[in-house]
């Protein structure tokens, strides 16, 4: 299942070194006390939060201090037909309210990535 999702949404046949183990740790709710992953530039950090969100129903919130990174990631997810939004200081008040409305009116089965 994981490799099918990896191929379908990200176009990769294999995970990069450490990615699969980190994703397993994130998904292991019984042992989950938080996960810290330190990878080099190009090590595939974005996949570590995008991938688990595809396996879980409901809301995934990703917090990032980099507005440009947020935009790039949301654009990528939307290009793969994955519901995603960003929320930061660059948005108008109307856009912020629309995102909050989507969140408050989403069903448990809906997936909205922010």
């Amino acid at each position: 299942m994981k490799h099918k999702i990896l191929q379908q949404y990200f176009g990769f046949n294999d995970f990069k070194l450490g990615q699969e183990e980190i994703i397993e740790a994130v998904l292991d709710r019984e042992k989950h006390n938080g996960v810290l992953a330190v990878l080099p530039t190009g090590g595939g950090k974005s996949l570590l939060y995008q991938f688990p969100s595809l396996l879980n129903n409901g809301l995934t919130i990703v917090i990032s201090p980099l507005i440009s990174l947020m935009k790039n990631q949301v654009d990528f997810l939307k290009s793969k037909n994955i519901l995603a939004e960003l929320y930061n200081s660059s948005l108008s008040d109307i856009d912020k309210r629309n995102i909050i409305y989507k969140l408050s009116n989403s069903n448990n089965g809906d997936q909205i990535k922010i």
Side-chain angles (χ1 to χ4, degrees):
M1 171 89 165
K2 287 185 294 187
H3 283 85
K4 182 179 179 181
I5 290 172
L6 185 66
Q7 175 65 43
Q8 178 182 350
Y9 287 100
F10 302 98
F12 301 122
N13 292 320
D14 295 304
F15 291 98
K16 290 185 177 184
L17 181 65
Q19 284 181 320
E20 191 167 11
E21 293 82 3
I22 294 166
I23 290 167
E24 286 296 326
V26 168
L27 294 173
D28 189 347
R29 295 190 188 276
E30 290 180 17
K31 296 180 186 174
H32 198 351
N33 292 319
V35 176
L36 172 65
V38 180
L39 285 83
T41 300
K45 292 179 286 293
S46 297
L47 185 78
L48 299 178
Y49 59 81
Q50 293 173 347
F51 194 92
S53 72
L54 294 173
L55 297 175
N56 291 317
N57 285 332
L59 176 66
T60 298
I61 297 177
V62 177
I63 300 170
S64 171
L66 303 172
I67 291 175
S68 61
L69 177 62
M70 293 168 73
K71 182 171 178 356
N72 290 344
Q73 297 303 317
V74 168
D75 288 348
F76 173 80
L77 292 170
K78 285 182 174 183
S79 77
K80 301 296 183 180
N81 294 318
I82 299 169
L83 293 175
E85 296 292 341
L86 60 86
Y87 188 99
N88 60 50
S89 61
S90 73
L91 297 177
S92 70
D93 288 341
I94 292 172
D95 290 337
K96 289 177 183 177
R97 281 194 295 273
N98 285 337
I99 291 170
I100 291 170
Y101 177 81
K102 286 180 189 178
L103 287 172
S104 63
N105 291 298
S106 67
N107 296 325
N108 286 338
D110 293 343
Q111 292 186 354
I112 301 172
K113 312 311 182 241
I114 295 184

